[in-house]
Amino acid sequence: MNIHEKYMYRCIELAKIGAAHVAPNPMVGAVLVYKDRIIGEGFHEKYGMPHAEVNCLNSVKDEDTRLIPSSALYVSLEPCAHHGKTPPCTDLISEKKIPTVVVGCRDPFAEVNGKGIKKLQQAGIAVTTGVLENECKELNKRFFTFHTQQRPYILLKWAQTANGKISANNTERLLITNEFTNRLVHKWRSEEMAILVGTNTALLDAPELTNRLWNGKSPVRIVLDMDLKLPLSLKIFNQKQRIIIFNAVKYEEKENLLFFKLKKDNGIIHHVLSACHQMNIQSIMTEGGAKLLQSFIDAGLWDEARIITNTGLRVAEGLASPKLSHFHHLFAQNIFTDKIDFYYHNTAPF
Ligand code: AOF
Ligand code: ZN
């Protein structure tokens, strides 16, 4: 590991502390280094609040401020050049007379996208880019997918028995995963902006789709109910969190319920994703059912899959789980008899 990478890893570590508080902004970390000594550190802590660079420079001790014009600033994402909720970081970097900036990766957000690096260079600052570029992009895989593909990052999740069934052949809900895994799944829910299920899952499983077994924000709930068949008495419609009901009947908004009308044709998934993009939903976890998951897979519209297999459970008959294709297996994790396989679509994206 070279010296640039060492400090960029620290930026990534810092950035991660902002997880769950900064979306739809990216997680960003910054480190200020004077002669191989860190004199300032910061990260983007909360959406709408100061950027990593600002917090990093504010953290410099009084006795070290005179060193700022001789230091190098490391930042995991290209410094912004636009006026958003906060002023441009590039201006601050120039004002502080920082001579060297090392950037992890370019910001894909249209308002920045290269303009930050250009502005720094025009101010006579030496800029090095692409240090741990893949790691920095992966850190913000949701943000990158949203801005480069104009759709949310799609995480598929399902649980299956050892013989590949996601439900038994009766109306009773089949509980596949153990209580530790359930907590992990709720943690995952807290990390995504939205959670999506189809009509049958909403009806038969009657889930609440909140992350009540974990801390933090619950995702926005999304249900596909084209013909508005679901009774409003279902738990999913409670007022605990916002719910978007994609349907082909009406557009109506009341309190936490948004009925969003879509064209009913064979491009429904595309319509859902572009509506989510319009609503600034950066990531979606799709929890089922099998048909809906399979249509995402078949359309090639997914980024990551987490499949939980209870290796100790078999049912004689049941609904077959979806079949993943074009995947890259990342790793597996075991929680008692539950085995969780993590996959990326195609090869690792970054
Ligand atoms: C940075 N450093 O720490 C972050 C950046 O509305 P604002 O002002 O918060 O700007 C949000 C945009 O700024 C966001 O979409 C992304 O392009 C960039 N985020 N940039 O220089 C940071 N979080
Ligand atoms: Zn900024």
Side-chain angles (χ1 to χ4, degrees):
M1 193 188 326
N2 65 36
I3 195 106
H4 280 350
E5 288 176 349
K6 180 173 101 174
Y7 291 119
M8 197 55 76
Y9 270 121
R10 181 65 190 149
C11 291
I12 294 173
E13 284 305 309
L14 289 163
K16 284 180 187 164
I17 313 173
H21 303 291
V22 300
N25 274 355
M27 292 171 256
V28 184
V31 170
L32 190 68
V33 179
Y34 174 77
K35 290 195 177 159
D36 212 11
R37 175 167 75 89
I38 291 180
I39 60 166
E41 285 192 336
F43 59 96
H44 187 38
E45 295 175 15
K46 202 169 176 225
Y47 178 75
M49 301 300 281
H51 287 178
E53 298 89 323
V54 177
N55 291 330
C56 173
L57 288 162
N58 284 341
S59 78
V60 178
K61 289 194 187 120
D62 287 346
E63 64 264 33
D64 285 335
T65 49
R66 67 187 169 84
L67 305 175
I68 296 177
S70 316
S71 299
L73 178 71
Y74 288 80
V75 54
S76 55
L77 186 78
E78 171 182 9
C80 68
H82 71 298
H83 289 267
K85 294 207 177 316
T86 65
C89 290
T90 47
D91 289 356
L92 176 70
I93 295 168
S94 301
E95 278 159 27
K96 296 275 180 184
K97 305 200 169 2
I98 297 171
T100 310
V101 175
V102 182
V103 173
C105 62
R106 237 167 109 139
D107 184 345
F109 180 48
E111 300 249 10
V112 185
N113 204 357
K115 296 190 190 88
I117 292 169
K118 206 162 156 202
K119 249 174 112 178
L120 292 175
Q121 285 168 335
Q122 281 167 348
I125 296 167
V127 185
T128 301
T129 55
V131 174
L132 295 184
E133 185 172 4
N134 289 345
E135 287 83 347
C136 290
K137 282 184 175 172
E138 174 151 24
L139 168 73
N140 287 307
K141 55 193 176 187
R142 298 164 181 83
F143 177 79
F144 270 82
T145 302
F146 185 80
H147 287 286
T148 59
Q149 300 194 42
Q150 276 73 49
R151 64 158 174 82
Y153 186 81
I154 302 164
L155 168 61
L156 308 179
K157 175 253 153 184
W158 73 83
Q160 61 190 19
T161 63
N163 58 332
K165 310 287 182 201
I166 63 164
S167 61
N169 265 358
N170 55 42
T171 48
E172 222 159 86
R173 189 174 178 182
L174 178 65
L175 297 174
I176 297 175
T177 53
N178 67 48
E179 57 183 302
F180 298 95
T181 308
N182 295 345
R183 278 162 176 73
L184 179 62
V185 169
H186 282 214
K187 175 177 185 282
W188 294 346
R189 287 180 176 177
S190 76
E191 291 163 352
E192 308 308 330
M193 284 180 71
I195 182 164
L196 166 69
V197 293
T199 318
N200 286 339
T201 303
L203 196 61
L204 302 178
D205 274 5
E208 184 174 301
L209 299 185
T210 55
N211 61 345
R212 62 204 170 279
L213 301 175
W214 199 261
N215 301 314
K217 267 197 290 190
S218 283
V220 170
R221 296 172 290 188
I222 302 178
V223 63
L224 261 181
D225 184 17
M226 292 316 274
D227 303 315
L228 291 185
K229 283 197 278 199
L230 296 174
L232 291 177
S233 55
L234 286 171
K235 263 195 290 194
I236 201 175
F237 294 112
N238 67 24
Q239 291 295 315
K240 289 190 182 162
Q241 171 59 305
R242 183 172 150 82
I243 176 159
I244 301 167
I245 303 114
F246 283 118
N247 70 91
V249 183
K250 63 175 179 182
Y251 185 96
E252 188 183 315
E253 191 158 18
K254 51 178 182 195
E255 292 169 20
N256 263 346
L257 258 59
L258 171 65
F259 291 90
F260 196 106
K261 192 172 171 184
L262 295 178
K263 249 197 297 175
K264 195 176 179 182
D265 56 22
N266 50 16
I268 286 174
I269 288 185
H270 290 92
H271 304 328
V272 166
L273 295 178
S274 76
C276 288
H277 184 258
Q278 269 174 40
M279 288 186 262
N280 224 3
I281 293 174
Q282 241 177 49
S283 66
I284 299 183
M285 174 147 98
T286 302
E287 287 216 24
K291 226 171 87 185
L292 184 63
L293 288 160
Q294 194 65 57
S295 33
F296 275 96
I297 297 167
D298 293 345
L301 286 167
W302 64 283
D303 300 290
E304 191 174 333
R306 299 179 191 164
I307 304 173
I308 309 162
T309 308
N310 183 337
T311 55
L313 178 69
R314 289 176 172 269
V315 289
E317 282 177 59
L319 189 63
S321 56
K323 298 279 166 285
L324 209 59
S325 56
H326 306 288
F327 55 81
H328 170 81
H329 187 253
L330 288 168
F331 61 93
Q333 174 188 357
N334 293 298
I335 304 181
F336 299 103
T337 57
D338 289 347
K339 175 173 180 261
I340 311 174
D341 286 290
F342 293 76
Y343 301 90
Y344 272 144
H345 189 194
N346 293 324
T347 52
F350 306 116

